[in-house]
Amino acid sequence: MRIQASAPGKAILFGEHAVVYGKPAIAVPLSGIRAAATGIARANPLAIFAEDLAPFPLKIGGEHCDQPNPLALMACLTTKHLGATSIKGDISIRSDIPIASGLGSGAAVSAALGRAIARLHDLEIPDADLNRLVFEVEKLHHGTPSGIDNTVVVFEMPIYFVKGAGAEFINFGKPLRLVLADTGIASLTRDAVADVRSMAHCEPARIARVFDEIGNIVNEARDCIERGARDRLGALMTANHRLLQALTVSSPELDILVDAALGAGALGAKLSGGGRGGNIIALAEEDAVAAIERNLLEAGAKRVMTTVAGKGSQDDDSD
Ligand code: MEV
């Protein structure tokens, strides 16, 4: 028996970092870039093959899943969740989501692996359960994750998210054309989150004001998304980027790409995800996409990708 499973990447449209402190944030799945797991039922104990890892068999015993490797931890948590004592077979994982670039590769790989393990047992894990398991693995990646990455990746829907309160799915008044550009610099979300935490500790009043302003932007942005008010949404994106600069999670390379997108006619642009490296996202009208992509590549982007969020929205994209 051969099974397949997958999960998408994600982009945070608004509110990263402040979301760790209880402010809202908005994220969309990137269904065009995915982590995929292929499982084959065999007699051997489960072995996982991933591009950058030697295959490893898993020992899943004892009370707790005390595994330092994220794949091993996800396999262990899933196995226990299914009530199984052992899993047999091989699972190969492939992902076209760049690693450590703010696009949710860790959460997507975990989600694809969890689904594959369940399917090897002829089962499906409900998304709510899978979300909880992936969140546990996110703690290894991020230290103190808000839970937004696992939620958008597992449910594969645009979400308005508040830590502890969960996610609301958002309706888009009009689709949004997003240009993503990669600095090519890998950056660990865990480090950026830890630095913001130190700043919040040293300058609590100033950083609390920044978080408040980000929270206000996110709430207005949700309203703009639902009404299809793209011009205002773009301005809010750029304002969110300025506040992320104040949190020191931008970088010269990210700022150059944001300016390049704006200079070529983007409605707005900001870093997306943990920052310091990784990707920017820019909001674009259709007729400006080619010029924006060109400018981004000339400004040093290692990769550009254009995607449409909220495709199922009622209005067309004609104005
Ligand atoms: C990472 O994609 C988003 C951050 O806000 C961290 C988190 O929410 O866990 C930087």
Side-chain angles (χ1 to χ4, degrees):
M1 182 179 65
R2 191 187 179 87
I3 59 89
Q4 306 274 3
S6 73
K10 66 94 191 47
I12 299 204
L13 294 192
F14 291 94
E16 51 274 270
H17 286 289
V19 69
V20 174
Y21 298 84
K23 300 296 174 190
I26 295 172
V28 292
L30 299 173
S31 296
I33 51 172
R34 309 188 74 83
T38 304
I40 300 178
R42 292 195 202 281
N44 55 283
L46 178 64
I48 299 176
F49 301 83
E51 276 151 18
D52 50 350
L53 284 178
F56 55 93
L58 295 161
K59 292 200 174 39
I60 299 171
E63 274 286 287
H64 303 291
C65 288
D66 193 11
Q67 308 271 357
N69 175 296
L71 293 177
L73 178 58
M74 186 65 203
C76 179
L77 291 170
T78 308
T79 308
K80 286 199 182 307
H81 179 78
L82 296 172
T85 46
S86 76
I87 307 183
K88 299 188 189 319
D90 293 340
I91 293 183
S92 308
I93 296 180
R94 240 204 59 247
S95 173
D96 40 40
I97 308 165
I99 293 170
S101 68
L103 300 183
S105 103
V109 165
S110 297
L113 176 59
R115 287 183 174 135
I117 290 174
R119 284 176 198 168
L120 272 181
H121 282 77
D122 228 357
L123 295 169
E124 287 291 329
I125 301 191
D127 284 345
D129 296 349
L130 183 65
N131 192 27
R132 272 196 298 278
L133 302 182
V134 177
F135 179 63
E136 290 306 309
V137 182
E138 286 292 282
K139 291 181 188 167
L140 274 188
H141 288 296
H142 290 187
T144 54
S146 63
I148 190 169
D149 288 12
N150 44 287
T151 305
V152 67
V153 157
V154 167
F155 289 97
E156 204 166 342
M157 298 274 277
I159 55 169
Y160 172 94
F161 179 89
V162 178
K163 184 177 171 177
E168 292 170 34
F169 299 123
I170 306 184
N171 291 317
F172 280 52
K174 286 184 181 153
L176 301 179
R177 193 162 268 98
L178 300 170
V179 183
L180 283 88
D182 195 341
T183 59
I185 298 169
S187 158
L188 291 179
T189 298
R190 167 200 289 275
D191 295 344
V193 169
D195 289 351
V196 172
R197 186 172 300 285
S198 316
M199 278 180 83
H201 186 70
C202 294
E203 304 173 81
R206 187 173 75 85
I207 300 303
R209 274 198 303 278
V210 175
F211 289 157
D212 283 346
E213 281 183 58
I214 292 176
N216 293 340
I217 284 177
V218 175
N219 285 325
E220 191 184 344
R222 177 182 182 163
D223 183 54
C224 290
I225 289 172
E226 288 173 343
R227 287 188 297 111
R230 285 192 290 235
D231 285 339
R232 178 67 188 147
L233 196 62
L236 291 172
M237 246 183 195
T238 309
N240 193 164
H241 184 70
R242 302 290 169 234
L243 291 164
L244 289 164
Q245 287 174 319
L247 294 177
T248 74
V249 293
S250 191
S251 69
E253 294 83 0
L254 286 164
D255 291 343
I256 286 170
L257 294 185
V258 165
D259 290 345
L262 295 173
L267 300 173
K270 63 182 275 295
L271 72 84
S272 180
R276 297 272 165 81
N279 279 263
I280 66 126
I281 50 170
L283 182 62
E285 297 291 14
E286 188 173 7
D287 55 6
V289 166
I292 294 169
E293 287 188 344
R294 207 169 35 245
N295 229 30
L296 285 165
L297 288 168
E298 278 168 12
K302 298 293 175 283
R303 245 182 320 264
V304 295
M305 182 183 99
T306 295
T307 182
V308 180
K311 259 189 206 145
S313 44
Q314 285 181 338
D315 286 2
D316 69 15
D317 193 21
S318 52
D319 60 350

